[in-house]
Amino acid sequence: MGRSCNLFFALAVLILLHHHTLLATVPNISTDEAALLALKSHISSDPNNILASNWSSFSPVCSWIGITCSSRYHRVTALDISSMQLHGIIPPHLGNLSFLVSLDISNDTFYGDFPVELAHLQRLKLINVRSNNFTGTIPLF
Ligand SMILES: *[C@@H]1O[C@H](CO)[C@@H](O)[C@H](O)[C@H]1NC(C)=O
Ligand SMILES: *[C@@H]1O[C@H](CO)[C@@H](O)[C@H](O)[C@H]1NC(C)=O
Ligand SMILES: *[C@@H]1O[C@H](CO)[C@@H](O)[C@H](O)[C@H]1NC(C)=O
Ligand SMILES: *[C@@H]1O[C@H](CO)[C@@H](O)[C@H](O)[C@H]1NC(C)=O
Ligand SMILES: *[C@@H]1O[C@H](CO)[C@@H](O)[C@H](O)[C@H]1NC(C)=O
């Protein structure tokens, strides 16, 4: 009786641990928030203080300017920061926005390499990077 109880307990602990590690690898809206805050931190110039004042972890990501979320999955589906005079680089973290369908960063002054991580986004259908200063090639989607 005592032994089977111990066995049951050990099994329950194993299942809980496994469940916990599984949960830790499933991306959620916090993953999206981290990716967008990484983008914000790579923007060196935001002359109109658009993101500086609006993209704050004190307000929900889905209410941030330029962000659209899926109400069903509660994940970011569109990012539109076009024509905001933003200057900076696009960090690889944007490749974690696994529900992203539409990306519009046109008519800003982003430079550097366009991260290959974005090519892994399976739902991405619309991408507008027109009028920026990227070097190298934009990975094919
Ligand atoms: C997102 O997942 C992490 C674990 O990876 C968890 O700690 C966090 O509470 C989750 N956030 C939401 C909003 O579900
Ligand atoms: C951010 O901008 C959106 C859209 O203009 C607005 O609805 C929201 O209230 C703003 N949030 C903050 C914290 O300023
Ligand atoms: C590009 O951005 C500038 C600055 O925000 C704006 O004045 C201009 O109308 C934009 N041009 C296009 C083609 O969207
Ligand atoms: C997101 O992406 C970056 C760079 O590609 C990575 O370092 C980071 O660990 C990723 N995961 C999360 C949950 O932010
Ligand atoms: C790209 O960089 C060049 C030279 O640094 C600059 O003249 C040009 O205005 C930039 N283009 C944009 C869209 O920022």
Side-chain angles (χ1 to χ4, degrees):
M1 173 69 184
R3 178 169 291 190
S4 67
C5 238
N6 281 344
L7 195 67
F8 176 77
F9 184 71
L11 258 173
V13 166
L14 262 178
I15 290 169
L16 271 177
L17 278 176
H18 187 63
H19 190 62
H20 190 77
T21 46
L22 269 184
L23 271 184
T25 59
V26 175
N28 59 22
I29 191 73
S30 308
T31 319
D32 293 348
E33 179 178 22
L36 293 168
L37 288 176
L39 169 62
K40 181 183 171 181
S41 74
H42 284 82
I43 290 173
S44 50
S45 174
D46 172 11
N48 304 308
N49 283 323
I50 298 175
L51 306 190
S53 58
N54 192 273
W55 285 22
S56 147
S57 41
F58 296 110
S59 59
V61 182
C62 298
S63 75
W64 291 359
I65 203 157
I67 302 299
T68 307
C69 288
S70 149
S71 50
R72 184 167 174 196
Y73 299 107
H74 195 49
R75 294 291 306 279
V76 171
T77 53
L79 171 59
D80 179 359
I81 49 171
S82 59
S83 301
M84 291 182 179
Q85 294 177 270
L86 302 174
H87 181 71
I89 65 164
I90 302 292
H93 304 72
L94 280 203
N96 293 341
L97 296 173
S98 48
F99 275 70
L100 198 66
V101 174
S102 166
L103 173 68
D104 190 349
I105 55 171
S106 62
N107 190 30
D108 284 306
T109 59
F110 288 107
Y111 63 96
D113 287 325
F114 195 80
V116 290
E117 283 77 2
L118 283 158
H120 304 150
L121 294 178
Q122 293 179 357
R123 294 175 172 87
L124 194 55
K125 288 193 182 75
L126 303 163
I127 163 161
N128 192 346
V129 297
R130 186 175 42 85
S131 302
N132 278 285
N133 265 352
F134 290 112
T135 47
T137 55
I138 306 291
L140 287 173
F141 291 90

